[in-house]
Amino acid sequence: MTLGLAALSLFLLLGGYRNSISYGSLEDLGPLVDSQANAEIQAAFRNASTIPGASRPESQDLLLALSAFFNNRSGERATGETSLALIDRGGRVIPGFSAGPASPYLDNAAVTVVQKDSAPVSGGDRSPQHCRVEVQGYPPLLCVSMPLSPAVLEAFPATEAAAIIVAKPAASLGEVVGDLMPRLLFSGLIGVAAALVLGFLLSQSVAAPLRNIARAARSVARGNYRQRVPATGPTEVRDLAANFNRMTEEVQRSQQTLRDFLANISHELKTPLTSISGFSEALLDGTIEDPTGIQRSARIINDESNRVLRLVQELLDLSRIESGQVSMEQDDLNLNELFEHVTEVFALRSEDTDVKLEINLQGQPKIRGDFDRLEQVLNNLLDNAFRHTPPGGTVRITSRNFQPDVVQVTVSDTGWGISADDLPHLFERFYRAKANNNQKKGHGLGLAISREIVRAHGGEIWATSEPNKGTTFVFTLPTAGRPARKPANR
Ligand SMILES: Nc1ncnc2c1ncn2[C@@H]1O[C@H](COP(=O)(O)OP(=O)(O)OP(=O)(O)O)[C@@H](O)[C@H]1O
Ligand SMILES: [Mg+2]
């Protein structure tokens, strides 16, 4: 297409170009002819004046001399399609004074100047002037006209002759095209070949990486999540490949999470369900007959089924908060009330375990949130703290203003602490620290649920710990005056 457009515009531009080619060659030829003709006239003039007794040359003599010159020219092949003519002061070709292929129809033809601001025959200026000869029924001729030299004109004062013109048919478009065509075709072929090679290379640099990505996508669709594609080709394609890899990684990760999750649930359910099934079977087939045994078995069955129930409840809760199905209330709350409430709940536990529970409330007590859900967070954190703190220790709840409209609540203990390896994973579902103590084990869901609740309030939760010294959990909450913020995007 580009080559086609280039060719079309070239043809349109050639119109002006062909005239300038023709004028160019005429301008070269003109002065030669002019000087020869003038030389011939002067020679004729000298002859006439040196022959004794001959009369002073007449204007007729000039014409005779010139006609001899023209007649010589007519025979010469060198003129080719070029014609010569003598024009009078009125700009007309003097009949009989023309030579060359156009001479038969040049007699009396009118010559018009195409160069501005001067007549075809002008006194002093002897530089060639562009002109045109148009004769009805014949192709127009381009010409240059050159005034006869002043010396000649002086010698023949009465002559009508004023200038010599050298004329040539305007090159037709066909001729110009015919002349240029082989070259144009050749350069066109080079252009087409270059376009094909470059186009092929370019399409390969885009198509090959895209084919790779398509193949990888099919492979991922079949379940091969390890598939990665090399990032090659132009920037956009590399970008696509990088994003494809990132997406595959994410899919692989979430598949792994799902698998782990199912494995964890099965594992968590297996232990209690095995007990329930074992004890109920023993009761049914009469293996356990004595009333204390029956009593014990029934308690175990009850405990274990409660454990399963709690697990299912927690899981449901977690998934509902995660999927945004549970909307948090946006009430104005007083932290004091919340702290007092949990202190009451844990008072007995504090006595039983001989672990002190201290409360230290500083700064802004007004916060915005859901009382029950925030109580759930504190219950989880306090339950963990009591579980992992040996007798004689202390569990402390404090609050302080972190930023003007953010309150920070801290639950710290003087327990065994958490190792640096476990810290980053604490908030994952089913995660339990390896170096766990002999206390009764939970499901590892408490912190995952707590984090979801805090995030749903627009806050964040984190933990710091020093093994054998204690652990500190910190979470932030918006104060009551602050407009509700969108919860963190998951
Ligand atoms: N204060 C703490 N001191 C030491 N370790 C802790 C503390 N809090 C949490 N952990 C560790 O983090 C793990 C995860 O806690 P999380 O509350 O999520 O689960 P859990 O208490 O084991 O079970 P659940 O809360 O579901 O009953 C715990 O198993 C425990 O090993
Ligand atoms: Mg817990």
Side-chain angles (χ1 to χ4, degrees), residues 92-422:
R92 287 197 168 269
V93 175
I94 303 174
F97 283 88
S98 58
S103 88
Y105 58 89
L106 276 184
D107 289 357
N108 281 322
V111 175
T112 48
V113 173
V114 276
Q115 253 171 2
K116 335 158 243 215
D117 51 66
S118 57
V121 184
S122 64
D125 183 12
R126 298 203 62 245
S127 65
Q129 293 189 4
H130 292 184
C131 54
R132 259 178 104 82
V133 188
E134 267 169 270
V135 184
Q136 197 75 41
Y138 294 95
L141 300 176
L142 300 182
C143 60
V144 288
S145 83
M146 286 140 304
L148 293 172
S149 76
V152 172
L153 287 174
E154 235 170 70
F156 303 97
T159 186
E160 269 294 293
I164 294 178
I165 61 164
V166 184
K168 175 179 172 178
S172 73
L173 192 58
E175 259 173 75
V176 177
V177 171
D179 187 37
L180 285 179
M181 195 47 95
R183 288 160 240 239
L184 283 179
L185 273 180
F186 183 65
S187 57
L189 280 179
I190 291 177
V192 167
L196 283 178
V197 170
L198 283 178
F200 179 74
L201 290 179
L202 198 67
S203 78
Q204 279 305 300
S205 76
V206 175
L210 284 183
R211 266 199 300 274
N212 273 343
I213 295 175
R215 202 178 308 125
R218 278 195 295 276
S219 168
V220 170
R222 283 195 298 270
N224 175 11
Y225 303 113
R226 277 201 198 92
Q227 191 70 45
R228 298 287 181 277
V229 286
T232 53
T235 321
E236 291 79 6
V237 181
R238 279 208 305 273
D239 207 29
L240 177 66
N243 282 321
F244 176 86
N245 287 341
R246 219 166 296 144
M247 183 194 74
T248 321
E249 258 164 45
E250 196 53 39
V251 172
Q252 188 181 11
R253 207 186 56 76
S254 66
Q255 286 290 324
Q256 187 59 42
T257 313
L258 189 64
R259 265 198 297 274
D260 293 350
F261 183 61
L262 287 175
N264 282 328
I265 294 182
S266 321
H267 183 76
E268 291 298 321
L269 290 175
K270 206 174 139 202
T271 324
L273 289 178
T274 312
S275 306
I276 292 170
S277 147
F279 279 101
S280 55
E281 241 175 63
L283 286 176
L284 279 175
D285 63 19
T287 319
I288 302 171
E289 283 176 335
D290 60 308
T292 29
I294 293 175
Q295 183 75 25
R296 226 188 82 229
S297 308
R299 201 175 39 251
I300 292 174
I301 291 176
N302 185 262
D303 280 356
E304 294 299 283
S305 42
N306 278 341
R307 194 173 148 80
V308 173
L309 209 64
R310 207 186 109 219
L311 170 65
V312 172
Q313 198 62 51
E314 280 181 350
L315 277 174
L316 271 177
D317 213 24
L318 183 59
S319 87
R320 282 171 58 218
I321 302 173
E322 264 183 350
S323 63
Q325 285 175 34
V326 178
S327 58
M328 302 285 151
E329 299 293 335
Q330 295 278 323
D331 299 329
D332 284 351
L333 306 177
N334 194 326
L335 269 183
N336 252 329
E337 278 174 34
L338 192 62
F339 286 180
E340 271 168 26
H341 182 76
V342 292
T343 328
E344 276 169 27
V345 173
F346 280 89
L348 196 64
R349 180 122 174 231
S350 166
E351 261 176 46
D352 285 354
T353 52
D354 190 20
V355 173
K356 257 197 284 170
L357 177 58
E358 284 181 8
I359 293 185
N360 183 3
L361 201 149
Q362 292 169 7
Q364 167 76 271
K366 296 265 182 212
I367 54 149
R368 166 165 299 161
D370 188 317
F371 190 92
D372 292 341
R373 290 296 179 179
L374 291 176
E375 187 201 338
Q376 197 180 347
V377 174
L378 280 176
N379 280 346
N380 273 329
L381 296 180
L382 287 173
D383 175 57
N384 287 349
F386 277 105
R387 214 189 286 173
H388 300 287
T389 307
T394 311
V395 173
R396 205 169 277 120
I397 317 177
T398 53
S399 83
R400 66 180 183 101
N401 270 38
F402 177 52
Q403 277 164 2
D405 45 8
V406 178
V407 172
Q408 203 177 52
V409 180
T410 310
V411 176
S412 57
D413 61 53
T414 55
W416 295 287
I418 303 165
S419 74
D421 289 346
D422 289 320

Side-chain angles (χ1 to χ4, degrees), residues 9-54:
S9 44
L10 185 65
F11 281 124
L12 293 177
L13 294 174
L14 275 181
Y17 174 64
R18 62 195 159 136
N19 279 356
S20 61
I21 303 178
S22 306
Y23 277 125
S25 65
L26 285 176
E27 265 171 30
D28 291 343
L29 195 61
L32 284 177
V33 171
D34 176 53
S35 64
Q36 267 192 43
N38 279 308
E40 217 135 314
I41 294 164
Q42 273 163 20
F45 172 68
R46 263 197 308 279
N47 286 344
S49 52
T50 47
I51 296 168

Side-chain angles (χ1 to χ4, degrees), residues 22-95:
S22 306
Y23 277 125
S25 65
L26 285 176
E27 265 171 30
D28 291 343
L29 195 61
L32 284 177
V33 171
D34 176 53
S35 64
Q36 267 192 43
N38 279 308
E40 217 135 314
I41 294 164
Q42 273 163 20
F45 172 68
R46 263 197 308 279
N47 286 344
S49 52
T50 47
I51 296 168
S55 60
R56 205 183 137 71
E58 293 295 319
S59 69
Q60 206 52 42
D61 295 331
L62 167 69
L63 295 184
L64 278 176
L66 274 177
S67 85
F69 170 72
F70 285 137
N71 289 337
N72 283 344
R73 290 301 110 182
S74 313
E76 270 178 32
R77 301 185 79 219
T79 48
E81 56 185 2
T82 319
S83 306
L84 307 172
L86 193 64
I87 56 172
D88 62 18
R89 287 176 206 283
R92 287 197 168 269
V93 175
I94 303 174

